[in-house]
Structure formats: C-alpha cells, structure tokens
Amino acid sequence: MKELIKYMAQALVDHPDQVEVSEIVGEQTSVIELRVAKDDLGKVIGKQGRTAKAMRTILSAASTKVRKRTVLEIIE
Amino acid sequence: MKDDRIEVEGKTIDEAITKACETFGVPREKLHIEILAEGTPGFFGLGSKKARIRAGLLKIDVTSIIDEGDGLPARPVPPPETDGSLTTQEGADALRAKEILEGILERMQIPCPVSVEENEEIIFLNIQGDGGGLLIGKKGQNLDALQHILNKAVHRGGNGGKMIVVDTETYRKRREEMLVNLAARLGEKVKKTQKAVTVGNMNAHERRIIHLALKNDTEVVTKSRGEGDLRKILIMPAKREKARERRSHNQEATAK
C-alpha cells in the first residue's frame, strides 16, 4: 500500500525525491502518511481535492483486495 | 513485393489511406485504392466503426518507386497492419501513461497488461484481463480515479495535451450506450409531456454524452445547470415549440 501511494505521488509531483511515505499499521486499519515538498502540495491535493480523492479511491480499491482498510493522510 | 494488396482500417477513409501510404512507403498517387466500408465516427473513437480500404500499388514501374522511397523518409516497411489497430504512432505521452498505469496496477496487486491506442484527440488505455469489477468500482469511480491520476501525472505542466481515457472490460462503451439510451428515452418523454426534465449525478464526460446524443434533435434543447457536484443536465422542449404551443393555447383561450 505504501509503495502504491509513493508511486502515484512521485508521478504527480515536481520533486519526486522529496516524497516521503510512512505507514502506521493497525490490525484492521492502516494509516498512510504522505509528505511532499511544499510547492507540490497542491499537485497531490488537486482542484477541489480531486486528486487526493482519486488517490484515496484507488487506495481503498487496493485495500479491499487484501480485506483491509487504509486511510490516506496528506501531511502539510 | 509479394503483398500486392492489403486491407487497411482507419478511423476515417483518409486515415486509412495515410496508413496504406506509410505501409507501402509511397505517396497516395501511386496507390490503387478501393473503399470497402466507410467509417462512422463514434464518440472519442469509442463505438465507432472503422473505415476499411483495400490498397495496392499501381502497376506502373513499381520497383523504381520502392527503390527511391519517393519522398517519404526511408524507414523499414512495417508489416501490413490488417488487424486494424488505431495506433498510428505512439507518442512519448502514450508510453508514459502506459508505464504509469502498469506501475499503479502492479502496486495494487492487480497486475494486468495494458494496451495503448492513440488518435488525434485521445490516448486510450485499455486494461486487459479481468479485474473482477474491482477496477471499475461503483459507477466507474475506480476507473475514473485512475484516469484522473494519469491525466495529472502525464500532463504535469497543466497545459493539457491529449486526454487520457482508461477503460477495462469495455466499461466505457457500455456506459456510453446506456447513457445514449437514457438520453433518447428522456428526449421522448420531454417531447410527449412538453415539460423539462433534469438528470443529476453525472460527471462532465457523461453530461457531454447526453448533450451530444440530443444535439441533432430539433425538438429538445439540453443545458447544464448548477455548479460542481450539484451540476445537473436539463432537457427541455425547444423554445419554438413551446412558443407555438403557447400561442395556440392563447388563441384557444380567446376563442372561448
């Protein structure tokens, strides 16, 4: 899951080297924290949060497959 | 050349002819072209019927034409494409889109091969194999999400470029057919009742399908109302019809 978010974020931003992803694994639910360069924040969030929403949708589709729940937090 | 004549498909007859020229490596004047089927443009290259032509070299001094290459840049003659794939040339964007999509799928643990087609308007990515509906999601939301990410990732500058469409299991085509049917049904309803109908819960692309489906219908007019997620499509009877009806209504009223 972590790799998935990292891959998508790196494809979206201008500074892929500054993308940091950490995963807090829980029994049922995991939280993925995404950090990007300040001027890339808008790119991962998108207009009206559309890009962030799209990433969450893909994340939850991938999680369903392994019967888990994963939450994406974008950290400012 | 043993392949004397080949059959070529294209979105339009012109495109098929261009492809035939490329295949033979000669300009159009040197080809004998027979039109087998005229294409009908679908929407965004989806649901369209391809144009088919049969092309062969004209018999006059065939060898000298091929030897000289006649104006076209020297290139290895590709095998005649009779399978009719839309791919004319795969641009850098198309390849990048395919690569990213495959990367995402792999990390979703749904590794599926992706085929890519490109025309003048869109880059069309088709996820092969069965994602078991997981790739489509409720109302196509997973497919739309993938598509959104890809558009953003490939056109990172934000200056647009060709729209990237992601599809699997012919979902987009099925959805389009469904929407065209819906549009036709609602159009009939509006004509019958002479009252406007609104349909909500659609994205821009789906609204566009409705608009286009009713574009040629002179008896109804379509409009979009509202903003953002609340934007709805409005199908109403054409004004002239309305005005005429009102006039006759008034005449009836005054007659009484």
Side-chain angles (χ1 to χ4, degrees):
Chain A
M1 292 306 131
K2 200 172 130 182
E3 283 306 305
L4 174 66
I5 291 298
K6 191 169 186 183
Y7 184 81
M8 285 194 286
Q10 283 182 334
L12 291 166
V13 299
D14 288 332
H15 310 288
D17 50 312
Q18 289 180 51
V19 172
E20 279 174 49
V21 183
S22 58
E23 185 169 8
I24 304 160
V25 185
E27 207 170 295
Q28 264 285 305
T29 313
S30 298
V31 179
I32 290 180
E33 292 182 338
L34 171 66
R35 283 184 178 82
V36 295
K38 210 168 180 212
D39 43 327
D40 278 337
L41 207 57
K43 291 223 166 61
V44 290
I45 296 174
K47 204 203 276 171
Q48 306 269 308
R50 274 192 73 182
T51 309
K53 198 174 161 197
M55 279 202 284
R56 292 195 172 109
T57 307
I58 294 170
L59 185 65
S60 62
S63 314
T64 332
K65 220 189 145 174
V66 288
R67 302 227 170 102
K68 277 196 78 177
R69 250 174 58 83
T70 318
V71 180
L72 172 67
E73 289 292 343
I74 297 166
I75 314 280
E76 274 182 69
Chain B
M1 196 144 182
K2 62 175 191 265
D3 265 307
D4 233 350
R5 332 188 68 199
I6 57 163
E7 279 182 23
V8 192
E9 279 184 348
K11 230 174 52 166
T12 59
I13 288 174
D14 280 339
E15 195 186 289
I17 291 173
T18 317
K19 263 194 240 171
C21 294
E22 278 172 18
T23 310
F24 281 105
V26 298
R28 186 182 173 160
E29 302 84 71
K30 306 271 159 91
L31 286 177
H32 171 79
I33 286 157
E34 219 180 298
I35 294 165
L36 300 174
E38 278 184 42
T40 50
F43 176 63
F44 268 173
L46 306 174
S48 55
K49 285 216 184 69
K50 283 168 186 151
R52 288 181 68 83
I53 58 161
R54 185 181 291 143
L57 286 169
L58 284 177
K59 289 286 173 303
I60 347 138
D61 59 7
V62 171
T63 43
S64 72
I65 295 162
I66 291 175
D67 287 346
E68 287 161 18
D70 216 74
L72 282 178
R75 64 165 90 176
V77 178
E81 271 184 295
T82 41
D83 61 341
S85 76
L86 259 175
T87 314
T88 39
Q89 79 267 48
E90 279 166 21
D93 279 357
L95 288 177
R96 187 167 142 75
K98 176 179 148 74
E99 199 188 297
I100 297 174
L101 182 55
E102 280 176 339
I104 293 177
L105 292 175
E106 193 186 302
R107 284 163 184 80
M108 285 175 85
Q109 279 142 39
I110 314 171
C112 289
V114 174
S115 71
V116 56
E117 289 175 8
E118 186 176 5
N119 62 24
E120 298 82 41
E121 290 148 26
I122 60 158
I123 294 169
F124 183 74
L125 296 165
N126 192 18
I127 304 168
Q128 314 268 309
D130 190 2
L134 187 60
L135 284 170
I136 297 174
K138 202 163 85 191
K139 276 185 154 183
Q141 62 171 1
N142 296 357
L143 215 49
D144 286 339
L146 285 169
Q147 184 171 309
H148 178 78
I149 297 275
L150 282 168
N151 274 297
K152 290 287 168 216
V154 174
H155 309 304
R156 199 138 41 85
N159 53 347
K162 288 182 191 175
M163 186 183 162
I164 297 168
V165 178
V166 181
D167 195 9
T168 187
E169 299 163 53
T170 65
Y171 174 78
R172 301 264 181 231
K173 201 178 163 193
R174 295 197 318 251
R175 180 89 182 142
E176 191 196 331
E177 277 166 13
M178 194 280 252
L179 287 168
V180 170
N181 282 336
L182 177 76
R185 273 209 321 274
L186 290 174
E188 286 307 314
K189 191 177 161 194
V190 169
K191 275 183 230 167
K192 216 154 72 189
T193 60
Q194 289 295 310
K195 281 202 178 100
V197 169
T198 53
V199 219
N201 267 333
M202 272 186 243
N203 63 32
H205 176 244
E206 293 175 334
R207 283 194 300 271
R208 182 166 184 253
I209 293 175
I210 303 272
H211 283 306
L212 289 176
L214 292 172
K215 187 183 67 172
N216 291 327
D217 199 325
T218 49
E219 291 176 56
V220 292
V221 187
T222 57
K223 276 217 174 84
S224 291
R225 282 275 161 81
E227 285 302 319
D229 289 342
L230 295 172
R231 204 160 161 84
K232 287 191 168 80
I233 202 160
L234 181 64
I235 306 171
M236 39 189 189
K239 281 235 173 66
R240 212 177 299 144
E241 288 292 309
K242 224 177 173 177
R244 197 185 299 155
E245 199 188 60
R246 207 179 296 136
R247 222 178 297 133
S248 64
H249 205 78
N250 288 344
Q251 275 165 7
E252 268 173 37
T254 43
K256 275 175 199 166

